[in-house]
Amino acid sequence: MRTPQIHPKIFAERRARLAPLISNSALILPSHPEMIRNHDVHHPYRQDTNLYYLTGFEEPESILVFRPGKKPETVMFVRVRDVERETWDGFRYGPEGVVRQFGIEAAYPISEFENMTSDLLLDVDKVYYTLFKDHECDERMARTLLSTKSKRRRSGRGILPIYDSYPLIGEMRVRKTDYEIEVLRKAGHVSGKAHEAVMRATRPGLNERYLQGVFIKEIMSMGASREGYGTIVAAGPAATTLHYVFNDQPLNAGELLLIDAGAEVDYYTGDITRTYPISGKFTDVQARLYGRVLELQKHLINMVKPGLRYLDLQETTVEGLIEIMIAEKLLKGSKDEIKSSGSYKKYYPHGVSHLLGSDVHDAGLVEVNGQSRPLESGMCLTIEPGIYIPSDDTSAPEELRGIGIRIEDDVLVTVDGHEVLTSAAPKEINDLEAIIGKN
Ligand code: GLY
Ligand code: MN
Ligand code: MN
């Protein structure tokens, strides 16, 4: 027997907030497809974020049908209980358990989905469903809609129109509730403490993946479920590859280490990057460049408050980094020329921020009607300026080649400013030098 990790009322409140936005409609949310490799090897499963967001249910092969104002309002289709399968794969709630423990009004075997859902759709005007995420599920949906149409006979009503559910729920997820803020605070804190432990474990001669192991051990011992995204542990020039995935090289004395890693706690993730010297002491050149990026990053964080637009953050970042590039003799010319030509992108190709929540690049729009969206209290975002100088860039001063620096924190927008959620991860030069390699 299991009990849900989070109280069902959290999810019922979310459905209640969604209900008025989709009257006379049905929302159909399927689970994330299960990944099975070589026929029988199961991989750790994570539920589709939106299905989890509205139900708290974590099993694969499940579908929610939500029809606000109808009876029953919440219906789920799930795997049936099966003694033999449960011996292999673990506990299943089954339809009875879903009704009893998740506050869902009615639940049936997943095999009943098409037949029963085509009836449940008889008295709605439209369907919210996201196409093209799961081909098999799309085919089921098509058959279900066709079946609803034929059950309606000659009523003059055709196939129900489909609206994308992703932006609808995404908008709900943009401004975090008090509950979500609490969990994000924990995810930020756990991520930050684990970064500190990794700093203490860092020393020349280790392999990048040893440090990834330290990060995982720390976050899981503090209650995280998993990493929030693919951890990047990039030593030396690997730090100039933005999505470095290998994490399998040795740590060399004298080089910098860039680590981008976050803990997922109860389906909310932290997202932190730190860059620091493997041997514990910044060289003069490293300290100069790092100090400049750090100053800019702190300035950007201090700008965060309601009303600030995403675009303003990006513009300030680009201007600040161009000033650094000119001062470091990476680029020649005036700030305006460099900005308008876009030549700075050679050393800074990404955005400075993204929304953060249940997904590391969280749902929700940062542009509305073609305009950059102003921040509102309850939003959570990253601030992550960086500079990356390829090791084979002969136009760059030799002392800078192969250096990649990014500093990333998670910031909550509050009513009158902001709160940094990841301050447990040191980033000042003195603080870093005091702990690297000291465990
Ligand atoms: N770790 C992913 C990102 O920083 O966007
Ligand atoms: Mn990020
Ligand atoms: Mn990151």
Side-chain angles (χ1 to χ4, degrees):
M1 194 57 185
R2 281 172 60 83
T3 45
Q5 305 270 303
I6 306 296
H7 198 285
K9 81 172 194 303
I10 293 283
F11 307 101
E13 279 165 14
R14 292 171 178 174
R15 294 195 298 271
R17 272 205 292 142
L18 175 61
L21 307 178
I22 56 167
S23 47
N24 283 324
S25 313
L27 165 72
I28 301 188
L29 271 183
S31 56
H32 192 71
E34 208 174 2
M35 183 160 81
I36 299 175
R37 203 180 283 163
N38 293 339
H39 306 297
D40 63 353
V41 179
H42 289 247
H43 286 261
Y45 183 75
R46 184 190 191 269
Q47 187 56 280
D48 172 78
T49 305
N50 282 343
L51 180 58
Y52 182 82
Y53 181 80
L54 290 177
T55 65
F57 192 64
E58 294 197 73
E59 289 182 25
E61 293 185 81
S62 55
I63 305 178
L64 168 71
V65 180
F66 180 41
R67 305 179 310 152
K70 310 275 192 252
K71 274 274 155 218
E73 192 171 70
T74 47
V75 181
M76 283 196 80
F77 296 90
V78 301
R79 300 182 305 190
V80 289
R81 300 214 59 179
D82 177 330
V83 174
E84 193 194 334
R85 285 315 320 163
E86 289 182 55
T87 307
W88 284 89
D89 304 333
F91 176 79
R92 299 174 172 188
Y93 281 99
E96 306 75 21
V98 167
V99 170
R100 199 171 51 242
Q101 296 196 265
F102 287 84
I104 297 293
E105 279 170 61
Y108 304 100
I110 185 74
S111 56
E112 297 290 320
F113 171 77
E114 284 174 37
N115 184 28
M116 296 195 67
T117 303
S118 56
D119 285 340
L120 294 170
L121 297 183
L122 283 173
D123 59 350
V124 303
D125 296 336
K126 56 187 171 196
V127 170
Y128 284 88
Y129 172 79
T130 296
L131 281 162
F132 306 121
K133 272 175 74 179
D134 176 346
H135 180 65
E136 218 173 285
C137 198
D138 289 352
E139 289 194 342
R140 264 183 177 176
M141 270 308 294
R143 287 194 296 270
T144 306
L145 291 171
L146 206 54
S147 168
T148 301
K149 177 179 178 277
S150 59
K151 283 178 183 173
R152 282 172 157 184
R153 297 186 173 268
R154 291 177 176 270
S155 62
R157 304 171 82 176
I159 297 275
L160 284 167
I162 297 183
Y163 288 73
D164 192 358
S165 65
Y166 187 78
L168 175 80
I169 303 173
E171 192 52 35
M172 287 183 69
R173 287 168 46 191
V174 169
R175 290 182 57 159
K176 272 61 180 177
T177 61
D178 289 348
Y179 164 79
E180 291 177 292
I181 290 169
E182 266 318 301
V183 187
L184 276 164
R185 277 197 188 108
K186 180 163 182 204
H189 184 73
V190 166
S191 305
K193 290 308 262 182
H195 269 268
E196 186 195 328
V198 171
M199 289 164 189
R200 292 184 182 280
T202 299
R203 53 182 59 90
L206 295 176
N207 191 281
E208 291 166 346
R209 65 163 63 112
Y210 178 96
L211 295 184
Q212 183 174 6
V214 173
F215 186 80
I216 293 170
K217 171 189 170 262
E218 290 294 323
I219 61 169
M220 300 202 55
S221 67
M222 287 184 275
S225 336
R226 54 184 85 87
E227 296 157 283
Y229 51 89
T231 292
I232 297 171
V233 185
T240 65
T241 303
L242 289 183
H243 292 154
Y244 181 69
V245 292
F246 302 113
N247 298 355
D248 63 355
Q249 294 298 299
L251 310 187
N252 298 320
E255 292 183 334
L256 290 174
L257 178 78
L258 181 153
I259 165 161
D260 185 346
E264 186 186 298
V265 176
D266 295 338
Y267 279 76
Y268 289 84
T269 190
D271 182 9
I272 302 180
T273 309
R274 289 292 182 264
T275 309
Y276 49 91
I278 287 165
S279 32
K281 181 106 184 74
F282 284 88
T283 64
D284 290 348
V285 172
Q286 290 166 351
R288 188 184 70 222
L289 190 58
Y290 180 86
R292 286 179 156 146
V293 178
L294 180 60
E295 195 186 334
L296 173 63
Q297 198 243 10
K298 291 196 285 192
H299 173 67
L300 292 165
I301 290 176
N302 283 331
M303 289 171 66
V304 173
K305 60 176 187 201
L308 180 78
R309 297 174 315 158
Y310 246 77
L311 189 65
D312 304 323
L313 274 173
Q314 188 66 21
E315 291 255 321
T316 308
T317 306
V318 166
E319 288 178 10
L321 286 170
I322 291 174
E323 281 169 20
I324 295 173
M325 291 171 201
I326 293 172
E328 291 286 346
K329 302 193 170 44
L330 284 161
L331 293 176
K332 291 199 188 66
S334 73
K335 210 164 129 178
D336 287 346
E337 277 162 20
I338 294 171
K339 195 170 158 193
S340 58
S341 72
S343 60
Y344 64 86
K345 290 184 185 151
K346 178 176 172 189
Y347 300 117
Y348 168 64
H350 60 80
V352 71
S353 175
H354 53 80
L355 294 171
L356 182 76
S358 280
D359 293 313
V360 64
H361 295 169
D362 208 30
L365 303 176
V366 292
E367 228 180 60
V368 178
N369 299 329
Q371 300 289 314
S372 182
R373 181 177 192 163
L375 298 181
E376 297 165 59
S377 66
M379 286 182 175
C380 185
L381 67 159
T382 63
I383 298 287
E384 47 180 310
I387 190 164
Y388 314 90
I389 304 133
S391 47
D392 60 357
D393 178 15
T394 50
S395 71
E398 200 166 349
E399 61 180 13
L400 298 178
R401 293 180 205 163
I403 293 184
I405 293 172
R406 179 165 66 253
I407 309 170
E408 173 175 32
D409 281 296
D410 305 340
V411 182
L412 172 74
V413 186
T414 59
V415 181
D416 51 6
H418 61 267
E419 175 185 331
V420 179
L421 305 179
T422 44
S423 48
K427 62 180 174 182
E428 298 296 332
I429 289 182
N430 290 344
D431 295 337
L432 290 168
E433 291 185 343
I435 62 168
I436 295 165
K438 312 240 167 57
N439 61 359

